[in-house]
Amino acid sequence: MATFINLSSSPSSTILSNIKHHHHHPLSCPYIHTQLKGVKGYGRLVLVKCLNETNRDAVESEDKLVGSAGSGISAYSWCAGLGGLGFLETGYLTYAKLTGSDAFCPVGGGSCGDVLNSDYAVVYGIPLPLIGMFAYGAATFLALKLASKDLPFGMDENSGGLILLGTTTAMATASAYFLYILSTQFPGASCSYCLASVLLSFSLFLTTAKNLGWQKVRDEVGLQLCIAGLVFAALNNSYSATLSPPARFGEKFLAYFPTEIKAPSSPLALKLATHLRSVGAKMYGAFWCSHCLEQKEMFGREAAKLLDYVECFPDGFQTGTDLSKECKKIKIEGFPMWVINGQVYKGLQDFAELAKASGFEAGEFSGELAELAKQSAEANMQP
């Protein structure tokens, strides 16, 4: 049965009689809808309601198509736009990661960089931004194809929609996992890029789900749970392998402690240490490194304090601990390591080698320096 309210008196009696005549027919609702389109004043039709289930489905389907065409921007076009923003964001972060440059962090400052450069920014050896760029790119490509109804590989719209739903489900799951990591492993840290990615991925998922219809999403909940479980397991396994607790390897966390030099410094050591600092020479080392301690003991207590020393593990050490930012930047390969006048010198260096590298003028200590060089050469010749 069909009922309607029309505020206009312009529709002809012929149309009204047709409506009455066809009210019992299962296709009467589309018929009425088509007939009324040709009537002047159709725009003032307030309600057309079909109580027959088949008729209502047909009209809703037609109205959905008409509404989508008239809205200007389809839901899939919105998905493509959101995916494009995510692609640009992750593309920039991928470039920064691969080139070793620091990403500009509008909010969060140093803490943002700490998150982006942490071990959590790599999954199975692949930079996380690169994985995100691929995911956003795939979602954008598929959404554009769905919006233009030009799907590849002979795929129909229903299959394309389900693939996009699966892709956005995986992205939303990964974002939720990383949000948990951010709150638990980096308390107090702020990462604007991380939060933006969370917002974009969840917006993509919700837009896709709404376009497909919540009934369709409920029908495919098993598939979504399976995808979410696989993503969670993959991420958890990756981080378990690279960030395992020390007990797993029979090791313990080694807290940082300052090295103590007891022997006093010689006048030559004091003068050389002062000169090294004046020319910007830096010594890179680790608190647990025996050769680093030996290098400092060579200078003695007072002179060692004059050296520009950089500790590469200021927060302690355990298997998997990352180098400090400054040590990572110069690509430390071993300890100790010196950088003097732009040149890298690896390993323990004697006074003669440091003096030559830095252009040190020994003056009154020339004889002592020569004697030290001789002793070092003799020691190196011994088996």
Side-chain angles (χ1 to χ4, degrees):
M1 180 177 182
T3 61
F4 66 94
I5 301 174
N6 195 335
L7 301 183
S8 172
S9 59
S10 59
S12 67
S13 58
T14 304
I15 298 297
L16 295 177
S17 63
N18 284 341
I19 293 171
K20 293 178 181 179
H21 177 72
H22 289 279
H23 78 275
H24 64 281
H25 195 279
L27 297 179
S28 60
C29 214
Y31 176 81
I32 295 169
H33 187 71
T34 303
Q35 289 290 320
L36 287 175
K37 279 187 178 180
V39 179
K40 183 178 180 181
Y42 169 65
R44 285 178 284 175
L45 183 68
V46 177
L47 173 66
V48 175
K49 180 179 179 182
C50 297
L51 299 182
N52 183 282
E53 188 66 28
T54 303
N55 296 345
R56 182 168 69 249
D57 290 344
V59 173
E60 287 178 353
S61 177
E62 182 180 348
D63 288 342
K64 181 179 179 181
L65 290 174
V66 172
S68 298
S71 63
I73 302 178
S74 68
Y76 288 132
S77 295
W78 280 111
C79 286
L82 292 169
L85 289 175
F87 182 81
L88 291 175
E89 178 203 7
T90 51
Y92 168 67
L93 294 178
T94 298
Y95 169 79
K97 188 75 173 178
L98 295 179
T99 58
S101 56
D102 293 330
F104 170 71
C105 296
V107 179
S111 62
C112 174
D114 292 340
V115 175
L116 296 174
N117 294 319
S118 71
D119 289 336
Y120 289 99
V122 178
V123 177
Y124 292 111
I126 304 173
L128 185 58
L130 181 60
I131 298 175
M133 186 175 72
F134 175 80
Y136 279 116
T140 303
F141 172 78
L142 188 55
L144 286 172
K145 289 296 184 180
L146 283 165
S148 63
K149 301 186 184 300
D150 181 26
L151 292 166
F153 312 117
M155 190 188 308
D156 58 24
E157 186 173 350
N158 182 60
S159 300
L162 287 178
I163 293 175
L164 184 60
L165 178 64
T167 303
T168 56
T169 297
M171 295 169 68
T173 303
S175 292
Y177 186 94
F178 295 131
L179 191 60
Y180 169 77
I181 292 294
L182 181 64
S183 62
T184 56
Q185 301 300 319
F186 302 91
S190 177
C191 178
S192 53
Y193 294 108
C194 309
L195 298 178
S197 188
V198 169
L199 179 63
L200 288 171
S201 59
F202 272 92
S203 298
L204 267 170
F205 170 74
L206 292 174
T207 305
T208 302
K210 184 178 180 181
N211 189 61
L212 288 175
W214 295 112
Q215 182 59 50
K216 184 67 174 177
V217 173
R218 284 193 293 269
D219 292 343
E220 303 296 339
V221 69
L223 174 64
Q224 295 171 76
L225 289 175
C226 182
I227 292 173
L230 288 173
V231 170
F232 177 83
L235 292 173
N236 197 54
N237 181 66
S238 174
Y239 293 140
S240 295
T242 57
L243 301 170
S244 303
R248 178 174 178 179
F249 301 100
E251 300 176 1
K252 294 182 179 180
F253 175 77
L254 187 61
Y256 170 79
F257 58 86
T259 54
E260 184 179 358
I261 311 298
K262 296 182 179 180
S265 301
S266 66
L268 172 59
L270 286 169
K271 186 173 181 179
L272 178 58
T274 302
H275 172 74
L276 289 170
R277 190 175 188 88
S278 69
V279 298
K282 286 188 177 184
M283 173 187 169
Y284 296 84
F287 66 95
W288 44 263
C289 167
S290 60
H291 292 300
C292 300
L293 178 60
E294 187 179 350
Q295 182 79 85
K296 291 180 180 179
E297 287 178 336
M298 186 185 296
F299 280 89
R301 182 176 59 249
E302 296 82 11
K305 294 178 181 178
L306 295 175
L307 297 174
D308 191 354
Y309 172 75
V310 179
E311 173 59 53
C312 292
F313 297 97
D315 299 321
F317 176 79
Q318 68 183 42
T319 301
T321 302
D322 210 359
L323 293 166
S324 66
K325 189 174 182 179
E326 186 173 355
C327 293
K328 184 187 294 184
K329 187 174 182 180
I330 66 168
K331 299 178 180 179
I332 291 286
E333 296 180 1
F335 302 108
M337 191 175 96
W338 288 84
V339 177
I340 305 173
N341 294 329
Q343 297 296 314
V344 175
Y345 300 87
K346 300 177 183 178
L348 190 66
Q349 306 293 318
D350 60 33
F351 278 5
E353 292 167 330
L354 291 173
K356 181 179 179 181
S358 62
F360 175 67
E361 296 292 341
E364 60 182 304
F365 301 107
S366 298
E368 183 181 352
L369 188 62
E371 182 61 27
L372 290 174
K374 181 180 178 181
Q375 292 176 5
S376 177
E378 290 176 351
N380 291 332
M381 290 177 64
Q382 293 178 358

